Amino acid sequence: MSDKYQGFVQSPIGKLFVKNLGLPNPVELERYVEGAPLVDGTVVVGGDGRLADGLAAVLDGLGIASTDTTEEGASYKGLVFDATGITSSSDLVRLQEFFGPLMRRLDTCARLVVLGTEPSATDSPAERVAQRALEGFTRSLGKEAGRGAAVQLVYVTPGAEAAVESTLAFLLSPKSAYVSGQVIRIGATGTTDAVSVQDWERPLAGKIALVTGASRGIGEQIARVLHRDGATVIGVDVPQAASELQGLMKELNGDFLTLDITGKDAPQRIAHHVKEKHGGVDVVVHNAGITRDKKLANMAEDRWSSVIAVNLTAPERITRELLDQGAINDNGRIVGVASIAGIAGNLGQTNYAASKAGVIGLVDALAGELTDGITVNAVAPGFIETKMTAAVPFATREVGRRLNAMSQGGQPVDVAETIAWYANPGSTAVNGNVVRVCGQMMLGA
Ligand code: NAD
């Protein structure tokens, strides 16, 4: 649905109001266009840790122009700082020295990334303290950067240096338009290995991706983006959505399965279908979800049970069945769709928030168990413009839209691009993460 306020602030009178009343000023976020270069500008690389030497080559391999010297009068589209060399609190001043002078020289929608060492993998208490401090720095910089800029912290476990490529490709490009203030871990659980990507335009060529709730909203965009990246998509949705689902899958040259994921035999039917028809599955996205909001005091049992059944029990059962049957191929991907409600809680959503926190629990429970390069991660969307959020009352909707560092709602494609990054074959060392796609919402962490 359209954001009328965002249109208004672009008008001459709107600009006057914003300036004089200090109103939120959402900029139009840049989003990735198929076939365009990942970064439309130059990225400045700084820092002197264990990643610094290889960064220019990684960016070059992605077709991203970078420099380690800044020029008078030039502006920049991205900044990457290797902070793994920071081993004490007094070293933290290097962040201020690098970022401070460059903050006024950023292009619109600039992408900023700090690379650090997972605090629990450091060599000394002083280093652990300093690395932990990076989190406060990046989260605050995300809130003050403005003009559509995003700031992330990526903790790279020692040994996983070669595995940063797919994550930098995502975080430095407009694919991460609505992701900011996040802490991402590479190599913290599972493997620290890197898998090289043959074709960055179609990284999922030859892969099979199953997406539940694919007929509309966020699920439809996930299907579209995974298809763009080369995957054959199997869309799953309820029989009532069959015609939309079939139409979309026809357009994407995909396959479909109409069933209720809470059905007793749904996991077996899905496993049977992917094995018999496709020889297995590479990417499983548990997107289907419902809300049945009511304060707990007024909540009937069926509102509670249906939300838990669709959002949590079904992903649990389907994942277990696919794993037990060996239907997920090596280097496969399992992706959950949580919600910021599952992190911060939300009035009237005890059922929904419990189900979405449970999705995060599913990631935690599985991350250490998976083998053969299979990963499990989740996205936690904030306010995304869909039919689900269009139904929210006006005042609540405006609060959801504006209470984030970007002063606007996200688009379904923002969630889809984040899932495509997890799905990328180069993201084998990205395991056990929960990344919020929320424009750095003020609710929760
Ligand atoms: P939506 O209602 O537009 O789409 C959900 C899809 O899931 C529909 O196609 C529906 O038919 C399908 N579905 C529901 N129950 C099913 C079942 N039992 N079996 C098979 N399919 C079923 O919702 P959306 O806004 O696109 O949300 C997609 C996901 O993102 C959900 O998990 C939702 O909780 C999550 N999410 C959305 C937002 C947001 O702002 N829109 C925020 C946070 C999280």
Side-chain angles (χ1 to χ4, degrees):
M1 92 170 270
S2 75
D3 180 349
K4 293 201 177 76
Y5 176 81
Q6 193 171 358
F8 169 70
V9 298
Q10 313 291 339
S11 69
I13 180 137
K15 283 184 181 148
L16 208 68
F17 266 96
V18 166
K19 194 162 170 236
N20 291 322
L21 299 177
L23 295 174
N25 187 10
V27 304
E28 195 180 330
L29 298 182
E30 290 167 14
R31 291 193 165 84
Y32 179 71
V33 178
E34 189 174 355
L38 283 175
V39 179
D40 180 19
T42 303
V43 173
V44 184
V45 175
D48 58 358
R50 63 196 155 81
L51 287 137
D53 282 349
L55 278 178
V58 169
L59 298 185
D60 193 45
L62 293 167
I64 299 173
S66 70
T67 179
D68 56 4
T69 49
T70 55
E71 275 172 42
E72 190 77 27
S75 65
Y76 298 100
K77 197 69 186 176
L79 309 177
V80 180
F81 186 80
D82 176 9
T84 59
I86 292 182
T87 54
S88 70
S89 50
S90 56
D91 289 347
L92 288 166
V93 72
R94 290 195 222 151
L95 297 167
Q96 184 264 332
E97 289 166 356
F98 177 76
F99 287 99
L102 288 168
M103 292 311 288
R104 286 185 202 282
R105 299 176 58 188
L106 299 176
D107 297 330
T108 336
C109 298
R111 332 293 315 153
L112 281 57
V113 178
V114 174
L115 301 168
T117 302
E118 169 63 35
S120 61
T122 48
D123 291 332
S124 69
E127 185 182 2
R128 184 169 187 157
V129 168
Q131 289 297 319
R132 183 62 180 80
L134 300 178
E135 208 175 306
F137 173 78
T138 47
R139 288 193 200 276
S140 291
L141 197 60
K143 287 184 176 170
E144 68 183 41
R147 295 176 58 242
V151 185
Q152 332 286 349
L153 171 60
V154 182
Y155 281 134
V156 183
T157 299
E161 292 78 9
V164 296
E165 201 176 19
S166 67
T167 300
L168 287 178
F170 173 62
L171 296 179
L172 291 175
S173 77
K175 291 181 179 182
S176 56
Y178 200 59
V179 177
S180 191
Q182 298 307 293
V183 181
I184 291 160
R185 291 178 164 80
I186 301 184
T189 321
T191 182
T192 52
D193 290 350
V195 170
S196 67
V197 177
Q198 306 302 323
D199 178 358
W200 283 98
E201 290 271 313
R202 288 172 59 80
L204 298 177
K207 306 273 184 188
I208 307 293
L210 181 102
V211 181
T212 66
S215 74
R216 68 177 210 190
I218 294 174
E220 175 186 344
Q221 282 306 319
I222 297 168
R224 288 186 182 281
V225 170
L226 297 181
H227 167 74
R228 176 204 70 194
D229 282 0
T232 299
V233 179
I234 310 170
V236 177
D237 215 307
V238 289
Q240 299 91 298
S243 71
E244 290 91 337
L245 182 69
Q246 285 177 29
L248 178 66
M249 290 307 138
K250 197 169 169 215
E251 185 192 330
L252 303 182
N253 285 324
D255 184 14
F256 64 90
L257 196 55
T258 43
L259 52 75
D260 181 335
I261 55 166
T262 64
K264 200 164 171 266
D265 61 350
Q268 290 75 19
R269 284 179 62 194
I270 291 172
H272 180 77
H273 184 92
V274 299
K275 279 180 83 174
E276 291 303 308
K277 228 175 145 191
H278 302 278
V281 64
D282 300 285
V283 181
V284 179
V285 186
H286 295 294
N287 163 77
I290 59 168
T291 50
R292 296 286 181 271
D293 298 357
K294 274 274 183 227
K295 283 193 186 161
L296 190 64
N298 305 323
M299 191 180 295
E301 200 273 340
D302 64 323
R303 293 182 93 86
W304 177 274
S305 317
S306 56
V307 167
I308 299 289
V310 176
N311 299 1
L312 182 55
T313 312
E316 267 184 292
R317 292 181 63 226
I318 293 166
T319 304
R320 182 46 57 202
E321 185 67 22
L322 290 171
L323 285 172
D324 287 352
Q325 290 210 27
I328 302 182
N329 299 331
D330 287 3
N331 209 18
R333 305 282 181 259
I334 302 161
V335 184
V337 177
S339 164
I340 51 150
I343 295 169
N346 204 13
L347 189 146
Q349 292 198 317
T350 48
N351 52 354
Y352 183 73
S355 73
K356 294 301 188 179
V359 169
I360 296 172
L362 184 61
V363 171
D364 293 344
L366 278 178
E369 169 195 322
L370 299 171
T371 54
D372 304 319
I374 301 174
T375 66
V376 60
N377 295 282
V379 288
F383 185 96
I384 306 295
E385 305 279 358
T386 63
K387 282 189 181 143
M388 195 189 244
T389 47
V392 172
F394 173 78
T396 318
R397 192 165 68 226
E398 270 308 290
V399 170
R401 269 193 185 134
R402 305 296 160 220
L403 269 190
N404 59 73
M406 304 203 174
S407 307
Q408 59 192 287
Q411 296 295 331
V413 71
D414 300 327
V415 180
E417 295 282 14
T418 309
I419 289 173
W421 155 60
Y422 286 143
N424 191 299
S427 299
T428 302
V430 180
N431 185 26
N433 284 270
V434 178
V435 166
R436 293 169 51 155
V437 184
C438 66
Q440 207 181 6
M441 206 177 228
M442 308 299 174
L443 294 176

